[in-house]
Amino acid sequence: MDRPSILDDTAAQTRHRIVRYAALLISILLAASAALAQSMIYTGTSRVTPEPYHTSALTGEDWVIELLCGHPGRIHASLGVSHHIFSTLLAVDEVDGRLNRYY
């Protein structure tokens, strides 16, 4: 009787392992290709035109007025408070007599 040798069993295991790795590699390549294709399709269609941010050449009261009327994130980035909070602080200062509004 011909019995399979240990070498034949090891060769079969090696071939099986190679096939599994090849399948895994193909799966990874297909997933990466699909993600790349999807990003190429959606590039440009989901972009929003950015609103200019650092555009002020003003100082003082004119700068504050521009903050109040300008880009929604500028007042928070410049002063560290939201538009609502800053407006409330202006109103409190005006009531307390610490602020004279010319506008």
Side-chain angles (χ1 to χ4, degrees), residues 24-89:
L24 178 62
L25 179 62
I26 290 170
S27 157
I28 291 169
L29 289 174
L30 286 173
S33 298
L36 179 63
Q38 185 176 12
S39 71
M40 289 172 63
I41 290 170
Y42 290 116
T43 299
T45 58
S46 64
R47 289 187 144 185
V48 176
T49 304
E51 188 176 340
Y53 192 79
H54 295 287
T55 57
S56 179
L58 303 174
T59 59
E61 184 179 342
D62 292 332
W63 179 70
V64 173
I65 291 170
E66 185 183 24
L67 282 177
L68 291 170
C69 300
H71 187 282
R74 182 182 292 152
I75 193 166
H76 191 273
S78 298
L79 303 177
V81 295
S82 68
H83 183 280
H84 171 73
I85 298 297
F86 187 69
S87 295
T88 302
L89 290 172

